Amino acid sequence: MHNLETSNTHTGRVIAVRGNVVDVHFSPPLPARNRQLRVSTEGCSVALEIQAHLDTTTVRCIALNATRRLQRGMAVQDTGKPLQMPVGEALLGRMLNVFGEAIDDGKEAIETQEYWPIHRPLLPLADRVSSTDIFETGIKAIDLLAPLERGGKSGMFGGAGVGKTVLINELINNIAAQYEGISLFCGIGERMREAEEMYRAMKESGVLEKAILIYGQMNEPPGARFRVGHAALTVAEYFRDVVKRDVLLLIDNVFRFVQSGTEVSGLMGRIPSQVGYQPTLATELAQLQERICSSQSGSITSVQAVYVPADDLTDPSATHIFAHLSASIVLSRKRASQGFYPAINPLQTDSKMLTPTVVGKRHYHAAQAVRATLAEYEELKDIISMLGIEELSRKDRTTVSKARQLERFLTQPFFTTEQFTGQLGKRVPLGQTIDGCERILAGEFAEIGEKAFYMIGSINELNSKG
């Protein structure tokens, strides 16, 4: 980026096309890394980003759009700058791709004077701030066991089909509607159906006016999916630093970013590391994640969905992502199969905010007591399956009863699934969640069957269920 002032009349030619990786020959001096190049073919223009200098005359690039019409000998123009992203208030309510072009068809083109490069220096440590404010979501299991940090990074981990996207949609519904700042949604490797559904849902709920959606979809080349996260962060940094607003950044799905990096790395000819991942996995992830931070002027709060390959939390991609987060919400296939939604595993879910000094002693002790009761029940399950519940002591039977009530109390009907379940969504304030858990743990509802606790909001709804 330090070479931006050089002339952009530099022209090269394509010497190799390897899928989405293109080698270009230039006469020295070579354009700098991360510089954007353009190849114009009949009817379309292909954007390339320089990844490596192979020798004194050759650069290796990744293509950000389809390369099907590229061939050797084509002229390549050096644009003289990195990939740029439009920024400004004109983006609100719009749906964009990695180039900042509008993809919400039927609307006029985005008009903004200001463009920022997608590769930007990190905010200096001296300018960063951290907070102890909690981001209340209205989802019982999250607020109780893994409170989200305002200005922090939170992740939702789960295999395929356990409810990550539904949970992200519910957070948009619960938080964005009453959120004072800007909501920015970044879809990395999203299904086209999900993008369309989210756009429509945001429009219907009135959230779209103060939201921006940026997509690098599943059908796009790996280069677009690899850079769409950086493009979204550039927009988030503009609203934080220039407009001085708080930004809620929702990313679905960070694993697709890692996956696109794996594709690019393989085509670049790098030797893979463990489990076939790129050798630069940790660096690429850090370059994206470390840009998510808060300054004196505004905060960026991030909630990220993370696909876990084969439900294996020891997978290198999952362990590297864990390291960047202040709260980790782990979704369990077993709980989903039992019908407990949201399918949050209470024993693996954790947050660094869950300390007495941050959330208060009452919340901390309630969360620890819930965890301890559920952990004890987990240990007793083997005995129950072999010998039956009758063989347990009276104390253990009481523990099992409380744990089964808590499991069901931590389920909740969602606003975003009303059309599928026929149940009205519930948003539960944190105080009511803690109150309900304390009353269950105190044995107040020992005479009530556990089914009555399933899919209710606050504990006061028990009476209405009879």
Side-chain angles (χ1 to χ4, degrees), residues 25-136:
H25 177 276
F26 278 101
S27 54
L30 294 180
R33 280 184 69 243
N34 291 335
R35 186 79 69 81
Q36 187 190 359
L37 311 177
R38 282 271 173 187
V39 188
S40 294
T41 65
E42 66 280 353
C44 78
S45 170
V46 179
L48 307 173
E49 186 183 88
I50 298 174
Q51 286 289 299
H53 290 185
L54 295 187
D55 54 43
T56 54
T57 59
T58 314
V59 294
R60 184 160 282 174
C61 317
I62 54 168
L64 300 173
N65 41 3
T67 56
R68 71 175 70 90
R69 290 184 187 165
L70 285 193
Q71 58 193 51
R72 287 180 180 178
M74 280 185 163
V76 180
Q77 196 69 34
D78 175 12
T79 63
K81 52 184 183 279
L83 185 67
Q84 305 273 304
M85 191 70 185
V87 290
E89 307 272 356
L91 274 62
L92 292 171
R94 302 303 298 270
M95 196 175 188
L96 320 171
N97 64 11
V98 70
F99 301 107
E101 298 163 348
I103 51 175
D104 45 355
D105 291 342
K107 290 193 174 185
E108 68 282 354
I110 292 165
E111 290 182 17
T112 178
Q113 302 303 313
E114 206 162 349
Y115 285 79
W116 280 16
I118 67 165
H119 300 283
R120 305 189 63 247
L122 294 177
L123 193 69
L125 270 176
D127 298 342
R128 296 182 180 220
V129 295
S130 58
S131 78
T132 53
D133 291 346
I134 297 298
F135 212 81
E136 201 172 310

Side-chain angles (χ1 to χ4, degrees), residues 384-427:
I384 295 167
S385 62
M386 286 187 288
L387 305 173
I389 199 163
E390 297 78 20
E391 296 301 314
L392 296 180
S393 67
R394 186 186 293 258
K395 180 175 176 289
D396 283 347
R397 268 183 284 181
T398 307
T399 301
V400 169
S401 170
K402 287 177 185 175
R404 290 173 70 90
Q405 288 178 348
L406 284 168
E407 277 186 332
R408 284 150 184 79
F409 178 62
L410 291 177
T411 62
Q412 190 169 341
F414 279 178
F415 292 98
T416 47
T417 57
E418 282 177 3
Q419 66 204 54
F420 307 114
T421 62
Q423 285 184 295
L424 292 176
K426 303 275 169 66
R427 191 177 190 285

Side-chain angles (χ1 to χ4, degrees), residues 27 65-66 108 160 172 258 261 264 284 292 314 349 365 387 414 426:
S27 54
N65 41 3
E108 68 282 354
I172 289 171
V258 172
V264 168
E284 288 168 5
I292 304 171
T314 62
T349 293
H365 290 310
L387 305 173
F414 279 178
K426 303 275 169 66

Side-chain angles (χ1 to χ4, degrees), residues 20 62-65 83 97-99 187-189 215-217 220-231 260 264:
N20 290 287
I62 54 168
L64 300 173
N65 41 3
L83 185 67
N97 64 11
V98 70
F99 301 107
I188 306 177
Y215 282 98
Q217 282 159 265
E220 293 187 44
R225 286 178 273 131
F226 192 50
R227 287 298 180 225
V228 72
H230 298 272
S260 59
V264 168

Side-chain angles (χ1 to χ4, degrees), residues 432-444:
Q432 291 182 17
T433 302
I434 296 169
D435 180 54
C437 291
E438 285 176 339
R439 289 170 69 185
I440 291 170
L441 289 163
E444 190 177 319

